[in-house]
Amino acid sequence: MKRTLMIIFSLILISACVSEKETLNLEDGPSVTEEEFVQSSYPYPSIKWKGRIYRVTTDEDFDVEDEIGVIDTFSSNETGETPDNSSNRFQKGTKIWSIKGVNIEEGIAAEYGTGKYVKAISAHAK
């Protein structure tokens, strides 16, 4: 009986981990490996856009509006001032979009695959 319960618990745990990874499958688009991100000193995946820091979320349930630019610089090594239009998660050339109904000062979206977007929220939001 204990063995059966352990197997069921293990399967539930494994399926929960797999489901979360599928929510934001950045393997389809430009990104860094988990190991590269862990080695950096950044507290979370982020985008610096027009002087503002945005925290990358796993939220994909929104509509994009307009393409507003691209990531110019990728950096997984935080040293000194972070350049504008850069990310520690997305590679150079990743498209940045505005989100329908959301002020750009509050949130933006990064395209990580064809027609696949993830929301990044301002770290300065109140």
Side-chain angles (χ1 to χ4, degrees):
M1 181 68 179
K2 282 185 178 181
R3 184 174 182 196
T4 304
L5 287 174
M6 286 300 291
I7 290 172
I8 290 172
F9 178 74
S10 296
L11 289 174
I12 291 171
L13 184 62
I14 291 170
S15 67
C17 292
V18 170
S19 295
E20 186 167 327
K21 184 170 182 154
E22 289 174 357
T23 302
L24 181 59
N25 185 3
L26 295 176
E27 293 171 7
D28 293 343
S31 64
V32 297
T33 65
E34 184 176 346
E35 181 178 323
E36 288 173 318
F37 182 75
V38 169
Q39 289 175 356
S40 77
S41 59
Y42 290 98
Y44 46 78
S46 63
I47 297 170
K48 183 172 182 185
W49 185 257
K50 304 226 180 217
R52 228 175 232 290
I53 303 291
Y54 296 86
R55 181 177 53 84
V56 177
T57 69
T58 57
D59 185 359
E60 297 180 30
D61 189 23
F62 58 89
D63 294 319
V64 293
E65 198 161 24
D66 298 314
E67 183 181 333
I68 57 175
V70 296
I71 297 294
D72 294 329
T73 308
F74 167 79
S75 176
S76 64
N77 184 14
E78 184 180 3
T79 56
E81 180 63 27
T82 307
D84 213 13
N85 306 339
S86 65
S87 177
N88 65 357
R89 181 64 166 154
F90 300 101
Q91 297 292 334
K92 179 179 178 178
T94 300
K95 294 179 183 178
I96 303 299
W97 295 77
S98 62
I99 300 171
K100 191 177 261 185
V102 176
N103 185 314
I104 291 175
E105 292 181 353
E106 296 174 13
I108 58 176
E111 185 172 4
Y112 67 91
T114 305
K116 295 180 181 181
Y117 309 92
V118 64
K119 185 184 284 186
I121 57 171
S122 175
H124 305 289
K126 295 176 175 143

PDB file of all heavy atoms in Angstrom, residues 84-122:
ATOM      1  N   ASP A  84      20.217  49.826 -22.017  1.00  0.00           N
ATOM      2  CA  ASP A  84      18.799  49.925 -22.363  1.00  0.00           C
ATOM      3  C   ASP A  84      18.474  48.929 -23.480  1.00  0.00           C
ATOM      4  O   ASP A  84      19.353  48.548 -24.260  1.00  0.00           O
ATOM      5  CB  ASP A  84      18.478  51.347 -22.811  1.00  0.00           C
ATOM      6  CG  ASP A  84      17.075  51.771 -22.428  1.00  0.00           C
ATOM      7  OD1 ASP A  84      16.433  51.076 -21.609  1.00  0.00           O
ATOM      8  OD2 ASP A  84      16.610  52.793 -22.943  1.00  0.00           O
ATOM      9  N   ASN A  85      17.228  48.507 -23.540  1.00  0.00           N
ATOM     10  CA  ASN A  85      16.733  47.557 -24.544  1.00  0.00           C
ATOM     11  C   ASN A  85      17.528  46.252 -24.495  1.00  0.00           C
ATOM     12  O   ASN A  85      17.936  45.717 -25.524  1.00  0.00           O
ATOM     13  CB  ASN A  85      16.741  48.162 -25.946  1.00  0.00           C
ATOM     14  CG  ASN A  85      15.982  49.476 -26.004  1.00  0.00           C
ATOM     15  OD1 ASN A  85      15.144  49.760 -25.162  1.00  0.00           O
ATOM     16  ND2 ASN A  85      16.274  50.286 -26.981  1.00  0.00           N
ATOM     17  N   SER A  86      17.731  45.757 -23.278  1.00  0.00           N
ATOM     18  CA  SER A  86      18.486  44.527 -23.087  1.00  0.00           C
ATOM     19  C   SER A  86      17.688  43.534 -22.250  1.00  0.00           C
ATOM     20  O   SER A  86      16.655  43.888 -21.678  1.00  0.00           O
ATOM     21  CB  SER A  86      19.819  44.827 -22.385  1.00  0.00           C
ATOM     22  OG  SER A  86      19.592  45.306 -21.078  1.00  0.00           O
ATOM     23  N   SER A  87      18.170  42.302 -22.212  1.00  0.00           N
ATOM     24  CA  SER A  87      17.505  41.260 -21.429  1.00  0.00           C
ATOM     25  C   SER A  87      18.524  40.250 -20.942  1.00  0.00           C
ATOM     26  O   SER A  87      19.532  40.008 -21.598  1.00  0.00           O
ATOM     27  CB  SER A  87      16.456  40.546 -22.280  1.00  0.00           C
ATOM     28  OG  SER A  87      15.857  39.489 -21.558  1.00  0.00           O
ATOM     29  N   ASN A  88      18.224  39.652 -19.795  1.00  0.00           N
ATOM     30  CA  ASN A  88      19.041  38.552 -19.305  1.00  0.00           C
ATOM     31  C   ASN A  88      18.358  37.221 -19.614  1.00  0.00           C
ATOM     32  O   ASN A  88      18.811  36.178 -19.188  1.00  0.00           O
ATOM     33  CB  ASN A  88      19.306  38.690 -17.806  1.00  0.00           C
ATOM     34  CG  ASN A  88      18.045  38.585 -16.966  1.00  0.00           C
ATOM     35  OD1 ASN A  88      16.941  38.468 -17.470  1.00  0.00           O
ATOM     36  ND2 ASN A  88      18.213  38.636 -15.665  1.00  0.00           N
ATOM     37  N   ARG A  89      17.268  37.263 -20.360  1.00  0.00           N
ATOM     38  CA  ARG A  89      16.508  36.061 -20.712  1.00  0.00           C
ATOM     39  C   ARG A  89      16.401  35.861 -22.222  1.00  0.00           C
ATOM     40  O   ARG A  89      16.480  34.758 -22.716  1.00  0.00           O
ATOM     41  CB  ARG A  89      15.116  36.145 -20.090  1.00  0.00           C
ATOM     42  CG  ARG A  89      14.236  34.954 -20.353  1.00  0.00           C
ATOM     43  CD  ARG A  89      14.845  33.734 -19.709  1.00  0.00           C
ATOM     44  NE  ARG A  89      13.887  32.657 -19.659  1.00  0.00           N
ATOM     45  CZ  ARG A  89      14.220  31.393 -19.635  1.00  0.00           C
ATOM     46  NH1 ARG A  89      15.483  31.046 -19.644  1.00  0.00           N
ATOM     47  NH2 ARG A  89      13.318  30.468 -19.579  1.00  0.00           N
ATOM     48  N   PHE A  90      16.204  36.948 -22.947  1.00  0.00           N
ATOM     49  CA  PHE A  90      15.977  36.873 -24.393  1.00  0.00           C
ATOM     50  C   PHE A  90      17.182  37.378 -25.169  1.00  0.00           C
ATOM     51  O   PHE A  90      17.837  38.339 -24.769  1.00  0.00           O
ATOM     52  CB  PHE A  90      14.730  37.677 -24.780  1.00  0.00           C
ATOM     53  CG  PHE A  90      13.490  37.180 -24.109  1.00  0.00           C
ATOM     54  CD1 PHE A  90      12.967  37.832 -23.014  1.00  0.00           C
ATOM     55  CD2 PHE A  90      12.861  36.033 -24.556  1.00  0.00           C
ATOM     56  CE1 PHE A  90      11.830  37.371 -22.375  1.00  0.00           C
ATOM     57  CE2 PHE A  90      11.723  35.553 -23.927  1.00  0.00           C
ATOM     58  CZ  PHE A  90      11.207  36.224 -22.837  1.00  0.00           C
ATOM     59  N   GLN A  91      17.450  36.736 -26.283  1.00  0.00           N
ATOM     60  CA  GLN A  91      18.598  37.078 -27.121  1.00  0.00           C
ATOM     61  C   GLN A  91      18.347  38.350 -27.924  1.00  0.00           C
ATOM     62  O   GLN A  91      17.203  38.771 -28.111  1.00  0.00           O
ATOM     63  CB  GLN A  91      18.897  35.924 -28.083  1.00  0.00           C
ATOM     64  CG  GLN A  91      19.297  34.635 -27.402  1.00  0.00           C
ATOM     65  CD  GLN A  91      20.645  34.733 -26.723  1.00  0.00           C
ATOM     66  OE1 GLN A  91      21.495  35.526 -27.111  1.00  0.00           O
ATOM     67  NE2 GLN A  91      20.852  33.919 -25.702  1.00  0.00           N
ATOM     68  N   LYS A  92      19.422  38.936 -28.407  1.00  0.00           N
ATOM     69  CA  LYS A  92      19.372  40.086 -29.302  1.00  0.00           C
ATOM     70  C   LYS A  92      18.459  39.749 -30.476  1.00  0.00           C
ATOM     71  O   LYS A  92      18.529  38.656 -31.033  1.00  0.00           O
ATOM     72  CB  LYS A  92      20.787  40.404 -29.799  1.00  0.00           C
ATOM     73  CG  LYS A  92      20.859  41.561 -30.748  1.00  0.00           C
ATOM     74  CD  LYS A  92      22.301  41.816 -31.165  1.00  0.00           C
ATOM     75  CE  LYS A  92      22.351  42.953 -32.162  1.00  0.00           C
ATOM     76  NZ  LYS A  92      23.723  43.260 -32.555  1.00  0.00           N
ATOM     77  N   GLY A  93      17.580  40.678 -30.845  1.00  0.00           N
ATOM     78  CA  GLY A  93      16.664  40.481 -31.961  1.00  0.00           C
ATOM     79  C   GLY A  93      15.272  40.044 -31.542  1.00  0.00           C
ATOM     80  O   GLY A  93      14.357  40.049 -32.362  1.00  0.00           O
ATOM     81  N   THR A  94      15.084  39.675 -30.276  1.00  0.00           N
ATOM     82  CA  THR A  94      13.749  39.295 -29.793  1.00  0.00           C
ATOM     83  C   THR A  94      12.820  40.499 -29.904  1.00  0.00           C
ATOM     84  O   THR A  94      13.158  41.600 -29.460  1.00  0.00           O
ATOM     85  CB  THR A  94      13.810  38.820 -28.324  1.00  0.00           C
ATOM     86  OG1 THR A  94      14.668  37.688 -28.245  1.00  0.00           O
ATOM     87  CG2 THR A  94      12.436  38.461 -27.798  1.00  0.00           C
ATOM     88  N   LYS A  95      11.648  40.302 -30.493  1.00  0.00           N
ATOM     89  CA  LYS A  95      10.696  41.397 -30.679  1.00  0.00           C
ATOM     90  C   LYS A  95       9.952  41.702 -29.379  1.00  0.00           C
ATOM     91  O   LYS A  95       9.568  40.806 -28.644  1.00  0.00           O
ATOM     92  CB  LYS A  95       9.685  41.049 -31.767  1.00  0.00           C
ATOM     93  CG  LYS A  95      10.311  40.939 -33.138  1.00  0.00           C
ATOM     94  CD  LYS A  95       9.290  40.568 -34.179  1.00  0.00           C
ATOM     95  CE  LYS A  95       9.956  40.400 -35.541  1.00  0.00           C
ATOM     96  NZ  LYS A  95       8.992  39.983 -36.561  1.00  0.00           N
ATOM     97  N   ILE A  96       9.756  43.005 -29.139  1.00  0.00           N
ATOM     98  CA  ILE A  96       9.017  43.494 -27.981  1.00  0.00           C
ATOM     99  C   ILE A  96       7.710  44.116 -28.477  1.00  0.00           C
ATOM    100  O   ILE A  96       7.700  44.848 -29.466  1.00  0.00           O
ATOM    101  CB  ILE A  96       9.844  44.549 -27.202  1.00  0.00           C
ATOM    102  CG1 ILE A  96      11.178  43.966 -26.765  1.00  0.00           C
ATOM    103  CG2 ILE A  96       9.055  45.096 -26.012  1.00  0.00           C
ATOM    104  CD1 ILE A  96      11.070  42.783 -25.839  1.00  0.00           C
ATOM    105  N   TRP A  97       6.618  43.818 -27.768  1.00  0.00           N
ATOM    106  CA  TRP A  97       5.278  44.252 -28.172  1.00  0.00           C
ATOM    107  C   TRP A  97       4.574  44.994 -27.047  1.00  0.00           C
ATOM    108  O   TRP A  97       4.822  44.726 -25.872  1.00  0.00           O
ATOM    109  CB  TRP A  97       4.432  43.036 -28.542  1.00  0.00           C
ATOM    110  CG  TRP A  97       4.933  42.298 -29.738  1.00  0.00           C
ATOM    111  CD1 TRP A  97       6.004  41.442 -29.792  1.00  0.00           C
ATOM    112  CD2 TRP A  97       4.416  42.345 -31.056  1.00  0.00           C
ATOM    113  NE1 TRP A  97       6.166  40.964 -31.061  1.00  0.00           N
ATOM    114  CE2 TRP A  97       5.197  41.494 -31.869  1.00  0.00           C
ATOM    115  CE3 TRP A  97       3.350  43.016 -31.640  1.00  0.00           C
ATOM    116  CZ2 TRP A  97       4.951  41.309 -33.218  1.00  0.00           C
ATOM    117  CZ3 TRP A  97       3.101  42.825 -32.992  1.00  0.00           C
ATOM    118  CH2 TRP A  97       3.894  41.979 -33.762  1.00  0.00           C
ATOM    119  N   SER A  98       3.671  45.887 -27.431  1.00  0.00           N
ATOM    120  CA  SER A  98       2.768  46.470 -26.441  1.00  0.00           C
ATOM    121  C   SER A  98       1.635  45.472 -26.226  1.00  0.00           C
ATOM    122  O   SER A  98       1.361  44.623 -27.085  1.00  0.00           O
ATOM    123  CB  SER A  98       2.222  47.820 -26.920  1.00  0.00           C
ATOM    124  OG  SER A  98       1.469  47.674 -28.107  1.00  0.00           O
ATOM    125  N   ILE A  99       0.980  45.569 -25.073  1.00  0.00           N
ATOM    126  CA  ILE A  99      -0.111  44.670 -24.717  1.00  0.00           C
ATOM    127  C   ILE A  99      -1.414  45.451 -24.774  1.00  0.00           C
ATOM    128  O   ILE A  99      -1.504  46.560 -24.211  1.00  0.00           O
ATOM    129  CB  ILE A  99       0.097  44.078 -23.306  1.00  0.00           C
ATOM    130  CG1 ILE A  99       1.409  43.299 -23.264  1.00  0.00           C
ATOM    131  CG2 ILE A  99      -1.088  43.220 -22.891  1.00  0.00           C
ATOM    132  CD1 ILE A  99       1.821  42.852 -21.865  1.00  0.00           C
ATOM    133  N   LYS A 100      -2.401  44.892 -25.437  1.00  0.00           N
ATOM    134  CA  LYS A 100      -3.695  45.548 -25.585  1.00  0.00           C
ATOM    135  C   LYS A 100      -4.283  45.866 -24.209  1.00  0.00           C
ATOM    136  O   LYS A 100      -4.392  45.000 -23.350  1.00  0.00           O
ATOM    137  CB  LYS A 100      -4.657  44.649 -26.360  1.00  0.00           C
ATOM    138  CG  LYS A 100      -5.934  45.352 -26.788  1.00  0.00           C
ATOM    139  CD  LYS A 100      -6.805  44.425 -27.607  1.00  0.00           C
ATOM    140  CE  LYS A 100      -6.572  44.746 -29.061  1.00  0.00           C
ATOM    141  NZ  LYS A 100      -7.446  44.000 -29.956  1.00  0.00           N
ATOM    142  N   GLY A 101      -4.619  47.162 -24.001  1.00  0.00           N
ATOM    143  CA  GLY A 101      -5.243  47.596 -22.763  1.00  0.00           C
ATOM    144  C   GLY A 101      -4.292  47.807 -21.593  1.00  0.00           C
ATOM    145  O   GLY A 101      -4.725  48.064 -20.473  1.00  0.00           O
ATOM    146  N   VAL A 102      -2.965  47.676 -21.835  1.00  0.00           N
ATOM    147  CA  VAL A 102      -1.981  47.847 -20.763  1.00  0.00           C
ATOM    148  C   VAL A 102      -1.021  48.968 -21.157  1.00  0.00           C
ATOM    149  O   VAL A 102      -0.457  48.955 -22.250  1.00  0.00           O
ATOM    150  CB  VAL A 102      -1.193  46.537 -20.516  1.00  0.00           C
ATOM    151  CG1 VAL A 102      -0.105  46.742 -19.467  1.00  0.00           C
ATOM    152  CG2 VAL A 102      -2.121  45.410 -20.106  1.00  0.00           C
ATOM    153  N   ASN A 103      -0.831  49.927 -20.259  1.00  0.00           N
ATOM    154  CA  ASN A 103       0.110  51.011 -20.476  1.00  0.00           C
ATOM    155  C   ASN A 103       1.523  50.425 -20.552  1.00  0.00           C
ATOM    156  O   ASN A 103       1.881  49.567 -19.744  1.00  0.00           O
ATOM    157  CB  ASN A 103      -0.005  52.013 -19.319  1.00  0.00           C
ATOM    158  CG  ASN A 103       0.855  53.242 -19.529  1.00  0.00           C
ATOM    159  OD1 ASN A 103       2.021  53.158 -19.901  1.00  0.00           O
ATOM    160  ND2 ASN A 103       0.267  54.386 -19.293  1.00  0.00           N
ATOM    161  N   ILE A 104       2.328  50.892 -21.496  1.00  0.00           N
ATOM    162  CA  ILE A 104       3.688  50.376 -21.676  1.00  0.00           C
ATOM    163  C   ILE A 104       4.516  50.554 -20.401  1.00  0.00           C
ATOM    164  O   ILE A 104       5.408  49.759 -20.130  1.00  0.00           O
ATOM    165  CB  ILE A 104       4.383  51.031 -22.891  1.00  0.00           C
ATOM    166  CG1 ILE A 104       3.711  50.564 -24.179  1.00  0.00           C
ATOM    167  CG2 ILE A 104       5.869  50.706 -22.934  1.00  0.00           C
ATOM    168  CD1 ILE A 104       4.227  51.215 -25.437  1.00  0.00           C
ATOM    169  N   GLU A 105       4.226  51.557 -19.596  1.00  0.00           N
ATOM    170  CA  GLU A 105       4.954  51.749 -18.339  1.00  0.00           C
ATOM    171  C   GLU A 105       4.634  50.648 -17.326  1.00  0.00           C
ATOM    172  O   GLU A 105       5.367  50.464 -16.364  1.00  0.00           O
ATOM    173  CB  GLU A 105       4.649  53.117 -17.749  1.00  0.00           C
ATOM    174  CG  GLU A 105       5.222  54.247 -18.588  1.00  0.00           C
ATOM    175  CD  GLU A 105       4.939  55.616 -17.998  1.00  0.00           C
ATOM    176  OE1 GLU A 105       4.185  55.716 -17.009  1.00  0.00           O
ATOM    177  OE2 GLU A 105       5.476  56.590 -18.540  1.00  0.00           O
ATOM    178  N   GLU A 106       3.536  49.911 -17.540  1.00  0.00           N
ATOM    179  CA  GLU A 106       3.134  48.850 -16.617  1.00  0.00           C
ATOM    180  C   GLU A 106       3.503  47.451 -17.114  1.00  0.00           C
ATOM    181  O   GLU A 106       3.750  46.557 -16.314  1.00  0.00           O
ATOM    182  CB  GLU A 106       1.630  48.906 -16.374  1.00  0.00           C
ATOM    183  CG  GLU A 106       1.184  50.175 -15.678  1.00  0.00           C
ATOM    184  CD  GLU A 106      -0.321  50.288 -15.585  1.00  0.00           C
ATOM    185  OE1 GLU A 106      -1.016  49.284 -15.831  1.00  0.00           O
ATOM    186  OE2 GLU A 106      -0.799  51.373 -15.269  1.00  0.00           O
ATOM    187  N   GLY A 107       3.508  47.247 -18.430  1.00  0.00           N
ATOM    188  CA  GLY A 107       3.818  45.928 -18.949  1.00  0.00           C
ATOM    189  C   GLY A 107       4.069  45.912 -20.444  1.00  0.00           C
ATOM    190  O   GLY A 107       3.548  46.746 -21.183  1.00  0.00           O
ATOM    191  N   ILE A 108       4.899  44.971 -20.875  1.00  0.00           N
ATOM    192  CA  ILE A 108       5.208  44.748 -22.286  1.00  0.00           C
ATOM    193  C   ILE A 108       5.208  43.241 -22.518  1.00  0.00           C
ATOM    194  O   ILE A 108       5.073  42.463 -21.580  1.00  0.00           O
ATOM    195  CB  ILE A 108       6.578  45.361 -22.679  1.00  0.00           C
ATOM    196  CG1 ILE A 108       7.705  44.771 -21.807  1.00  0.00           C
ATOM    197  CG2 ILE A 108       6.526  46.877 -22.612  1.00  0.00           C
ATOM    198  CD1 ILE A 108       9.105  45.247 -22.188  1.00  0.00           C
ATOM    199  N   ALA A 109       5.365  42.841 -23.766  1.00  0.00           N
ATOM    200  CA  ALA A 109       5.415  41.417 -24.099  1.00  0.00           C
ATOM    201  C   ALA A 109       6.651  41.135 -24.947  1.00  0.00           C
ATOM    202  O   ALA A 109       7.066  41.966 -25.753  1.00  0.00           O
ATOM    203  CB  ALA A 109       4.162  41.002 -24.855  1.00  0.00           C
ATOM    204  N   ALA A 110       7.222  39.954 -24.752  1.00  0.00           N
ATOM    205  CA  ALA A 110       8.350  39.501 -25.569  1.00  0.00           C
ATOM    206  C   ALA A 110       7.877  38.316 -26.399  1.00  0.00           C
ATOM    207  O   ALA A 110       7.193  37.431 -25.890  1.00  0.00           O
ATOM    208  CB  ALA A 110       9.527  39.087 -24.691  1.00  0.00           C
ATOM    209  N   GLU A 111       8.209  38.306 -27.689  1.00  0.00           N
ATOM    210  CA  GLU A 111       7.834  37.205 -28.574  1.00  0.00           C
ATOM    211  C   GLU A 111       8.940  36.150 -28.509  1.00  0.00           C
ATOM    212  O   GLU A 111      10.057  36.381 -28.942  1.00  0.00           O
ATOM    213  CB  GLU A 111       7.658  37.709 -30.003  1.00  0.00           C
ATOM    214  CG  GLU A 111       7.149  36.647 -30.942  1.00  0.00           C
ATOM    215  CD  GLU A 111       6.798  37.183 -32.315  1.00  0.00           C
ATOM    216  OE1 GLU A 111       7.023  38.386 -32.584  1.00  0.00           O
ATOM    217  OE2 GLU A 111       6.300  36.406 -33.130  1.00  0.00           O
ATOM    218  N   TYR A 112       8.612  34.977 -27.967  1.00  0.00           N
ATOM    219  CA  TYR A 112       9.644  33.948 -27.805  1.00  0.00           C
ATOM    220  C   TYR A 112       9.522  32.836 -28.832  1.00  0.00           C
ATOM    221  O   TYR A 112      10.323  31.916 -28.852  1.00  0.00           O
ATOM    222  CB  TYR A 112       9.638  33.366 -26.387  1.00  0.00           C
ATOM    223  CG  TYR A 112       8.415  32.571 -26.018  1.00  0.00           C
ATOM    224  CD1 TYR A 112       8.368  31.200 -26.242  1.00  0.00           C
ATOM    225  CD2 TYR A 112       7.323  33.182 -25.443  1.00  0.00           C
ATOM    226  CE1 TYR A 112       7.253  30.457 -25.893  1.00  0.00           C
ATOM    227  CE2 TYR A 112       6.210  32.454 -25.086  1.00  0.00           C
ATOM    228  CZ  TYR A 112       6.183  31.094 -25.308  1.00  0.00           C
ATOM    229  OH  TYR A 112       5.072  30.375 -24.966  1.00  0.00           O
ATOM    230  N   GLY A 113       8.580  32.926 -29.720  1.00  0.00           N
ATOM    231  CA  GLY A 113       8.382  31.985 -30.807  1.00  0.00           C
ATOM    232  C   GLY A 113       7.336  32.594 -31.729  1.00  0.00           C
ATOM    233  O   GLY A 113       6.682  33.567 -31.369  1.00  0.00           O
ATOM    234  N   THR A 114       7.161  32.057 -32.896  1.00  0.00           N
ATOM    235  CA  THR A 114       6.206  32.618 -33.839  1.00  0.00           C
ATOM    236  C   THR A 114       4.809  32.635 -33.222  1.00  0.00           C
ATOM    237  O   THR A 114       4.235  31.596 -32.934  1.00  0.00           O
ATOM    238  CB  THR A 114       6.201  31.813 -35.150  1.00  0.00           C
ATOM    239  OG1 THR A 114       7.536  31.756 -35.654  1.00  0.00           O
ATOM    240  CG2 THR A 114       5.287  32.458 -36.179  1.00  0.00           C
ATOM    241  N   GLY A 115       4.308  33.845 -32.980  1.00  0.00           N
ATOM    242  CA  GLY A 115       2.979  34.003 -32.406  1.00  0.00           C
ATOM    243  C   GLY A 115       2.877  33.622 -30.939  1.00  0.00           C
ATOM    244  O   GLY A 115       1.782  33.492 -30.402  1.00  0.00           O
ATOM    245  N   LYS A 116       4.029  33.465 -30.254  1.00  0.00           N
ATOM    246  CA  LYS A 116       4.036  33.107 -28.830  1.00  0.00           C
ATOM    247  C   LYS A 116       4.654  34.269 -28.049  1.00  0.00           C
ATOM    248  O   LYS A 116       5.766  34.699 -28.352  1.00  0.00           O
ATOM    249  CB  LYS A 116       4.843  31.837 -28.588  1.00  0.00           C
ATOM    250  CG  LYS A 116       4.228  30.619 -29.239  1.00  0.00           C
ATOM    251  CD  LYS A 116       5.083  29.401 -28.953  1.00  0.00           C
ATOM    252  CE  LYS A 116       4.490  28.162 -29.610  1.00  0.00           C
ATOM    253  NZ  LYS A 116       5.297  26.980 -29.332  1.00  0.00           N
ATOM    254  N   TYR A 117       3.905  34.734 -27.060  1.00  0.00           N
ATOM    255  CA  TYR A 117       4.323  35.903 -26.302  1.00  0.00           C
ATOM    256  C   TYR A 117       4.248  35.621 -24.806  1.00  0.00           C
ATOM    257  O   TYR A 117       3.410  34.854 -24.354  1.00  0.00           O
ATOM    258  CB  TYR A 117       3.402  37.096 -26.610  1.00  0.00           C
ATOM    259  CG  TYR A 117       3.241  37.346 -28.079  1.00  0.00           C
ATOM    260  CD1 TYR A 117       2.189  36.766 -28.794  1.00  0.00           C
ATOM    261  CD2 TYR A 117       4.145  38.144 -28.774  1.00  0.00           C
ATOM    262  CE1 TYR A 117       2.043  36.985 -30.153  1.00  0.00           C
ATOM    263  CE2 TYR A 117       4.005  38.366 -30.129  1.00  0.00           C
ATOM    264  CZ  TYR A 117       2.951  37.784 -30.818  1.00  0.00           C
ATOM    265  OH  TYR A 117       2.819  37.996 -32.158  1.00  0.00           O
ATOM    266  N   VAL A 118       5.117  36.300 -24.065  1.00  0.00           N
ATOM    267  CA  VAL A 118       5.089  36.216 -22.615  1.00  0.00           C
ATOM    268  C   VAL A 118       5.120  37.642 -22.070  1.00  0.00           C
ATOM    269  O   VAL A 118       5.792  38.521 -22.616  1.00  0.00           O
ATOM    270  CB  VAL A 118       6.261  35.361 -22.066  1.00  0.00           C
ATOM    271  CG1 VAL A 118       7.604  35.981 -22.372  1.00  0.00           C
ATOM    272  CG2 VAL A 118       6.096  35.083 -20.604  1.00  0.00           C
ATOM    273  N   LYS A 119       4.361  37.852 -21.004  1.00  0.00           N
ATOM    274  CA  LYS A 119       4.241  39.191 -20.416  1.00  0.00           C
ATOM    275  C   LYS A 119       5.416  39.480 -19.494  1.00  0.00           C
ATOM    276  O   LYS A 119       5.907  38.599 -18.786  1.00  0.00           O
ATOM    277  CB  LYS A 119       2.945  39.281 -19.609  1.00  0.00           C
ATOM    278  CG  LYS A 119       2.665  40.688 -19.051  1.00  0.00           C
ATOM    279  CD  LYS A 119       1.421  40.710 -18.186  1.00  0.00           C
ATOM    280  CE  LYS A 119       0.187  40.662 -19.018  1.00  0.00           C
ATOM    281  NZ  LYS A 119      -1.049  40.813 -18.230  1.00  0.00           N
ATOM    282  N   ALA A 120       5.853  40.741 -19.507  1.00  0.00           N
ATOM    283  CA  ALA A 120       6.856  41.236 -18.573  1.00  0.00           C
ATOM    284  C   ALA A 120       6.256  42.466 -17.901  1.00  0.00           C
ATOM    285  O   ALA A 120       5.776  43.370 -18.583  1.00  0.00           O
ATOM    286  CB  ALA A 120       8.145  41.599 -19.307  1.00  0.00           C
ATOM    287  N   ILE A 121       6.237  42.459 -16.561  1.00  0.00           N
ATOM    288  CA  ILE A 121       5.599  43.562 -15.832  1.00  0.00           C
ATOM    289  C   ILE A 121       6.666  44.470 -15.222  1.00  0.00           C
ATOM    290  O   ILE A 121       7.740  44.021 -14.832  1.00  0.00           O
ATOM    291  CB  ILE A 121       4.639  43.053 -14.744  1.00  0.00           C
ATOM    292  CG1 ILE A 121       5.355  42.145 -13.754  1.00  0.00           C
ATOM    293  CG2 ILE A 121       3.456  42.352 -15.371  1.00  0.00           C
ATOM    294  CD1 ILE A 121       4.535  41.771 -12.553  1.00  0.00           C
ATOM    295  N   SER A 122       6.332  45.740 -15.157  1.00  0.00           N
ATOM    296  CA  SER A 122       7.289  46.725 -14.644  1.00  0.00           C
ATOM    297  C   SER A 122       7.628  46.449 -13.192  1.00  0.00           C
ATOM    298  O   SER A 122       6.753  46.245 -12.355  1.00  0.00           O
ATOM    299  CB  SER A 122       6.711  48.132 -14.782  1.00  0.00           C
ATOM    300  OG  SER A 122       7.582  49.069 -14.189  1.00  0.00           O
TER     301      SER A 122
END
